[in-house]
Amino acid sequence: MNNGNEQYLIALAGNPNCGKTTLFNAVTGARQHVGNYPGITVEKKEGFYQLNGSRLRLVDLPGTYSLTAYSLEELVARDFLVQERPEVVLNIVDACNLERNLYLTVQLLELGIPVVLVLNMVDAAESRGIEIDVEELSRRLQLPVVPTVARTGRGKDDLLSTAARMASEKRGWAPLHISYGPDIDPALDEMEKEIARLSFLTEALPSRWTALKYLEADEQVIAKGRETHPELSSRLEAIAARLTDHLQKTLESYPEAIIADHRYGFIAALLKGGVVTEKNKSDRLYLSDQIDRVLTNRLLGPVSMMLILYMVYQFTFNYSALPVQLVESAFSMLGNRMDALLPEGLIKSLIVSGIIDGVGGVIGFVPLILFMFFAIAFLEDTGYLARVAYMLDRVFRTFGLHGSSVMAFIISGGIAGGCAVPGVMATRTLRSSRERLATLLTAPFMNCGAKIPVFAMLIAAFFPKNRASMMFLLTLLSWMAALFLAKLIRITILKGPSTPFLLELPPYRLPTFKGLLIHTWERTWQYVQKAGTIILAISILFWALMTFPGLSEKKKVRFEEARQEILAGVPPELREMTARGAPEGQTIPAVVADARERILALDHEEAQTALKDSFAGRIGTAMESVSRWSGFDWRTNVALLSGFAAKEIIISTLGTAYSLGKVETGDDLSLSERLSNDPLWNPLKAFAVIVFIMLYAPCFATITCIIKESGAWKWGVFSMVFNTSVAFLIAVLVYQGGRWLGLGT
Amino acid sequence: MGTVLLRHMLPGQKGVVTQVKAVGELGRRIRDMGIVPGTPLFVQGRAPLLDPVAIRVRNFTLTLRNNEADYIHVEVDETS
Ligand SMILES: Nc1nc2c(ncn2[C@@H]2O[C@H](COP(=O)(O)OP(=O)(O)O)[C@@H](O)[C@H]2O)c(=O)[nH]1
């Protein structure tokens, strides 16, 4: 058949939910590579399979219902077929749902590319009493048809050898000609002749297909046509326009619609006469429908949805808590080790505060992302996520979003304590681009787990009596802000009608554990690879901002002198102990304890001065002229600035700025007390700060994800500038409004 | 006799599509999902807020918003 070391390119195409991913995993196992199609965010999966010495390169195309030019997925799939010209396309169809699935098949055949029809889910079809005459179907379509069960791998070997055989034959493209009726056919013939005569686009596209696309008013093909041959293109457009006009007058219809009718007509004829027989033709309620009676019921539906979403949230954050803690303590242990090992100085500071903290920040998210993707993959593969979108669409559409947006909001902290990094990544399940972008831009307004301790500290200081109700209020506020700002974004920069909803509710199915794991792992690994480098770089940048230029020599000398002065006040034999600390178990004399405390205070003051003199401190001080409108002084400014790197750093920076030494999250009582006694602080300012923190620029990990998920730098920059502006505006409103009402004194 | 817009059909009602008036992207999506004149359908239910509507066509369940259902004309089977 072949000499054994050929490589064939094989593409997998099919409708969403046909089992394509499962089949791809069954064939390639873990030997797969996930990337993106150049320049866009659509995932591209590739894997290899070795068969009798030939190497099959399998590419999983995005799941599509059609090959038109409307969605990104469809364009990607079509461009891949036309440009890469795979030897064979494995067209996976759901055996329970042949009529609709074959619509894509017909379009592949119109293109003429060699196809193997993969009749998947034959197990489900059998149990539903659907019988398919495979041989007859194959004969009528003149294609190999292979029945499979992707879940168990049944039919896989047969499929691969069929595909390899077909690939080795190196068939040319043979477009299928079907009749589109008495109005379309003559026009099509006329156009086809012209196209063939002038070899218009024929190096890549069959001439009849190009003609068909002109009739279907396909933007991409027409644009390309205008470029290559403007004169012919305008003639073709004229023919199409004439036909459209005629059909409008006679049938009140469009060429596109009539072409679609005939495609379905072709499919109906194909399946007639015993190719498909359904034994229980009645509208029997299958298990899936019975489940839906409960899960999408008017009353039980929303209740069970809340329960399920809450469980997802609990699962994501509770089960990941331990691994997150382990990772964090591993990194802090490493940090302490390095702290002890390395000599005092810049290098140590860079390694401990810049690199280890930075890498820890990246890796610390990994368990969280792992669990989140697992939970979402489960909801997605079972089919429940589609129900959530169905039930919530009415609410979210009001704000220019989509029913599926809810997932991203909840993960990001819609139930207080989430994380925007996995939240932004969760928007992948949204297929409508404007809604998806609006969702990923507004999900970071939610109260993530890193903002919570900052809020808790401020609430403890200024609203000690109503802690719980304050937290609840903040959750409510963040939802309101996110939804209204989403609306604002959708009526301004992302203006445009909502993308058609038209969502399939696939039958409930039990996903395979292996499938879930592969899904989860590949997405998590992508995060580590791509986010890792950027976040590390940014965390080093922030370390530098808060470290340099450091104290001037003059100030350093002054602090050193003050220290020596304290030491001088201690009797000489106790000086060693004062400087180094008492050996284990030895009681410390009162003089020493007193001197040590004063030196510690001096150290903290030095750290504070160094922070104020650092670039970040200077920026914070310079910003006071603006930030006084919202009541923020330089200390708050620096802390907020450090929060760009990660929100949890706000507390420790405030600690340094208030000369409290290193304040760890959780052990922030002293800071809370310090702030509540500070004359510059009051409940009003605290509330303005809280609102600001809730809304301002997402942390860098999130921004990195926004850039990656949206595929454009500009959206990362936008979310930084827009969120900070909105946050500032609202903080000013709160602060000035409060003052006007006589609060905050 | 008895052509209504899909939006106005009640859960449990059956019918056959007579016309799809949508153009552009929406029209294409509706056709991609198998809704063309002559297609039988059955209204399976509605979302808790009564929008979108879930229908059964060609052996699968499709949900669409009411304002999308407005483009689909259905001849209702009176016996259903
Ligand atoms: N019963 C059955 N279920 C399957 C089969 N193939 C896939 N599934 C399930 O169908 C669901 C969707 O499959 P998936 O591969 O994610 O579909 P995709 O959207 O086409 O990638 C998953 O829950 C699979 O476990 C099959 O042959 N038989």
Side-chain angles (χ1 to χ4, degrees):
Chain A
M1 182 162 68
N2 62 57
N3 55 13
N5 34 29
E6 298 247 11
Q7 171 165 317
Y8 301 120
L9 177 59
I10 294 179
L12 272 71
N15 287 184
N17 305 310
C18 66
K20 200 157 57 64
T21 312
T22 312
L23 186 74
F24 184 75
N25 289 341
V27 173
T28 61
R31 293 160 310 231
Q32 48 175 277
H33 168 79
V34 189
N36 283 6
Y37 286 94
I40 49 173
T41 53
V42 178
E43 269 181 23
K44 178 184 188 179
K45 284 199 233 172
E46 279 189 55
F48 288 96
Y49 190 82
Q50 210 72 33
L51 189 80
N52 304 331
S54 41
R55 199 164 133 88
L56 309 183
R57 184 178 148 223
L58 291 119
V59 174
D60 188 18
L61 299 180
T64 61
Y65 292 107
S66 165
L67 282 185
T68 54
Y70 270 118
S71 74
L72 210 52
E73 282 82 7
E74 290 174 6
L75 271 180
V76 165
R78 198 166 90 178
D79 284 347
F80 186 88
L81 296 177
V82 169
Q83 283 158 15
E84 310 280 323
R85 301 181 84 83
E87 272 90 11
V88 175
V89 175
L90 301 184
N91 177 202
I92 299 134
V93 294
D94 176 354
C96 305
N97 193 358
L98 258 187
E99 280 179 23
R100 197 205 65 214
N101 274 258
L102 284 174
Y103 189 65
L104 177 67
T105 312
V106 170
Q107 295 182 53
L108 288 170
L109 296 177
E110 285 171 343
L111 193 57
I113 195 160
V115 169
V116 172
L117 195 70
V118 186
L119 202 57
N120 193 32
M121 308 228 190
V122 284
D123 57 334
E126 267 160 39
S127 72
R128 289 193 167 202
I130 300 172
E131 262 171 32
I132 298 166
D133 184 343
V134 175
E135 263 155 49
E136 180 59 18
L137 183 62
S138 166
R139 201 186 59 75
R140 290 190 186 180
L141 275 170
Q142 299 187 342
L143 301 174
V145 179
V146 186
T148 60
V149 179
R151 265 178 72 94
T152 60
R154 193 172 110 200
K156 186 181 86 179
D157 296 334
D158 188 12
L159 171 65
L160 288 168
S161 57
T162 307
R165 183 154 22 88
M166 193 160 181
S168 70
E169 288 166 12
K170 301 239 183 268
R171 297 192 187 180
W173 286 23
L176 169 77
H177 285 207
I178 59 181
S179 164
Y180 305 99
D183 289 309
I184 307 253
D185 283 348
L188 202 57
D189 288 340
E190 184 188 346
M191 292 164 86
E192 187 187 353
K193 240 182 255 139
E194 280 299 290
I195 293 169
R197 193 169 61 86
L198 295 171
S199 305
F200 175 62
L201 304 177
T202 44
E203 70 286 354
L205 305 171
S207 40
R208 195 176 176 83
W209 191 81
T210 306
L212 203 55
K213 291 293 138 183
Y214 265 85
L215 290 181
E216 285 186 308
D218 184 289
E219 290 91 346
Q220 193 205 24
V221 171
I222 294 179
K224 204 150 120 219
R226 281 183 186 152
E227 226 170 77
T228 8
H229 202 315
E231 188 271 329
L232 176 58
S233 182
S234 60
R235 251 191 301 150
L236 295 174
E237 283 171 62
I239 298 176
R242 209 176 57 218
L243 182 66
T244 308
D245 199 45
H246 173 70
L247 289 175
Q248 261 293 298
K249 286 201 190 101
T250 54
L251 299 172
E252 279 188 70
S253 190
Y254 294 84
E256 274 193 82
I258 291 178
I259 290 170
D261 288 356
H262 282 85
R263 285 187 185 134
Y264 282 110
F266 176 83
I267 294 168
L270 198 67
L271 300 180
K272 238 182 14 214
V275 174
V276 178
T277 35
E278 280 189 57
K279 267 189 276 173
N280 12 4
K281 186 82 188 157
S282 63
D283 292 307
R284 201 186 112 193
L285 276 183
Y286 297 105
L287 182 63
S288 179
D289 300 316
Q290 279 163 0
I291 298 175
D292 263 339
R293 288 235 152 154
V294 179
L295 290 187
T296 62
N297 176 284
R298 269 208 91 172
L299 288 173
L300 294 177
V303 172
S304 44
M305 176 169 64
M306 284 202 221
L307 222 75
I308 290 171
L309 293 180
Y310 185 71
M311 266 155 52
V312 166
Y313 177 86
Q314 287 292 330
F315 169 82
T316 308
F317 291 97
N318 284 355
Y319 288 91
S320 67
L322 186 68
V324 166
Q325 223 171 29
L326 286 180
V327 171
E328 275 173 1
S329 49
F331 273 93
S332 78
M333 224 161 75
L334 187 68
N336 291 342
R337 259 320 245 301
M338 285 296 175
D339 203 31
L341 230 61
L342 294 169
E344 208 58 53
L346 269 184
I347 299 281
K348 168 169 157 176
S349 164
L350 170 65
I351 290 178
V352 175
S353 311
I355 297 177
I356 294 181
D357 283 0
V359 176
V362 177
I363 306 294
F365 284 120
V366 167
L368 205 61
I369 290 175
L370 218 76
F371 277 81
M372 185 277 303
F373 275 135
F374 189 86
I376 291 200
F378 182 80
L379 291 189
E380 205 179 356
D381 288 0
T382 50
Y384 188 68
L385 209 53
R387 271 80 183 174
V388 173
Y390 165 63
M391 285 190 280
L392 279 177
D393 184 66
R394 189 68 202 89
V395 178
F396 280 81
R397 194 202 329 160
T398 314
F399 300 98
L401 301 170
H402 186 277
S404 307
S405 306
V406 69
M407 213 57 198
F409 282 120
I410 288 184
I411 301 267
S412 299
I415 301 173
C419 175
V421 170
V424 165
M425 294 170 97
T427 57
R428 282 186 200 181
T429 51
L430 270 144
R431 291 181 138 243
S432 353
S433 58
R434 275 189 298 265
E435 285 84 347
R436 173 165 187 251
L437 208 49
T439 308
L440 69 84
L441 289 175
T442 48
F445 290 126
M446 293 291 157
N447 294 329
C448 71
K451 295 179 195 171
I452 298 289
V454 189
F455 293 169
M457 187 273 292
L458 289 169
I459 290 174
F462 298 101
F463 311 96
K465 285 197 210 80
N466 342 36
R467 287 186 202 208
S469 46
M470 267 308 273
M471 262 309 173
F472 185 69
L473 176 75
L474 295 182
T475 306
L476 229 55
L477 276 181
S478 67
W479 272 96
M480 272 165 52
L483 291 177
F484 282 107
L485 290 169
K487 183 74 187 173
L488 182 70
I489 289 175
R490 283 287 276 112
I491 56 176
T492 52
I493 48 168
L494 289 176
K495 196 158 53 185
S498 48
T499 321
F501 181 74
L502 262 74
L503 182 73
E504 180 185 359
L505 299 187
Y508 290 105
R509 293 197 183 99
L510 206 60
T512 59
F513 194 64
K514 182 180 153 199
L516 291 180
L517 286 186
I518 291 179
H519 215 85
T520 307
W521 173 246
E522 69 198 13
R523 290 178 174 184
T524 309
W525 180 233
Q526 257 185 328
Y527 161 78
V528 173
Q529 280 174 315
K530 293 201 180 157
T533 43
I534 301 179
I535 295 173
L536 179 60
I538 298 282
S539 83
I540 291 177
L541 175 76
F542 267 89
W543 165 82
L545 275 181
M546 308 212 4
T547 308
F548 292 110
L551 282 181
S552 63
E553 277 311 311
K554 228 165 66 198
K555 285 186 186 163
K556 261 192 214 157
V557 169
R558 215 181 304 139
F559 277 109
E560 198 44 43
E561 278 170 6
R563 251 192 294 270
Q564 292 307 330
E565 210 172 289
I566 298 172
L567 275 181
V570 180
E573 69 278 11
L574 289 176
R575 275 184 206 156
E576 178 71 17
M577 191 197 265
T578 314
R580 306 227 177 283
E584 200 71 38
Q586 202 171 317
T587 47
I588 304 166
V591 244
V592 174
D594 178 56
R596 276 181 69 79
E597 210 157 276
R598 277 162 54 212
I599 289 178
L600 195 65
L602 203 66
D603 286 348
H604 290 161
E605 201 187 321
E606 184 175 2
Q608 184 211 28
T609 317
L611 181 64
K612 186 166 187 182
D613 284 359
S614 70
F615 291 119
R618 291 174 195 196
I619 297 171
T621 312
M623 281 193 320
E624 273 187 340
S625 60
V626 180
S627 70
R628 75 193 154 89
W629 288 99
S630 53
F632 304 169
D633 63 330
W634 77 267
R635 291 184 174 87
T636 317
N637 288 348
V638 178
L640 293 173
L641 210 58
S642 72
F644 273 109
K647 301 282 185 272
E648 55 265 47
I649 301 180
I650 293 176
I651 289 186
S652 66
T653 314
L654 267 179
T656 310
Y658 277 100
S659 308
L660 289 170
K662 206 169 150 72
V663 176
E664 297 286 348
T665 311
D667 153 44
D668 41 21
L669 257 177
S670 52
L671 180 60
S672 204
E673 241 162 65
R674 178 76 175 74
L675 292 186
S676 65
N677 294 329
D678 192 298
L680 279 176
W681 281 79
N682 54 51
L684 181 63
K685 173 179 172 180
F687 194 69
V689 172
I690 288 177
V691 169
F692 187 84
I693 292 174
M694 180 192 293
L695 302 176
Y696 86 121
C699 67
F700 264 101
T702 305
I703 291 181
T704 312
C705 288
I706 290 178
I707 293 171
K708 201 165 70 72
E709 294 297 324
S710 63
W713 276 91
K714 69 171 179 194
W715 292 117
V717 175
F718 172 83
S719 77
M720 238 163 80
V721 176
F722 175 74
N723 296 16
T724 309
S725 317
V726 167
F728 181 66
L729 214 74
I730 297 184
V732 169
L733 275 179
V734 166
Y735 188 67
Q736 298 298 342
R739 296 230 313 190
W740 187 72
L741 289 174
L743 302 171
T745 39
Chain B
M1 149 75 262
T3 331
V4 299
L5 296 180
L6 176 56
R7 176 204 277 264
H8 298 127
M9 286 176 74
L10 303 171
Q13 272 189 321
K14 284 182 198 167
V16 174
V17 178
T18 55
Q19 240 181 341
V20 178
K21 289 255 175 161
V23 293
E25 175 169 14
L26 179 61
R28 217 172 271 187
R29 291 238 176 269
I30 291 176
R31 287 190 290 273
D32 286 354
M33 299 308 257
I35 300 183
V36 292
T39 315
L41 60 78
F42 162 74
V43 179
Q44 195 164 306
R46 283 178 185 278
L49 294 169
L50 302 181
D51 184 15
V53 52
I55 60 174
R56 186 109 194 138
V57 266
R58 299 183 191 269
N59 254 335
F60 74 101
T61 305
L62 176 69
T63 62
L64 61 174
R65 292 177 177 159
N66 278 339
N67 60 13
E68 293 163 354
D70 275 343
Y71 292 95
I72 300 170
H73 298 249
V74 183
E75 183 166 325
V76 177
D77 177 356
E78 305 290 354
T79 56
S80 64

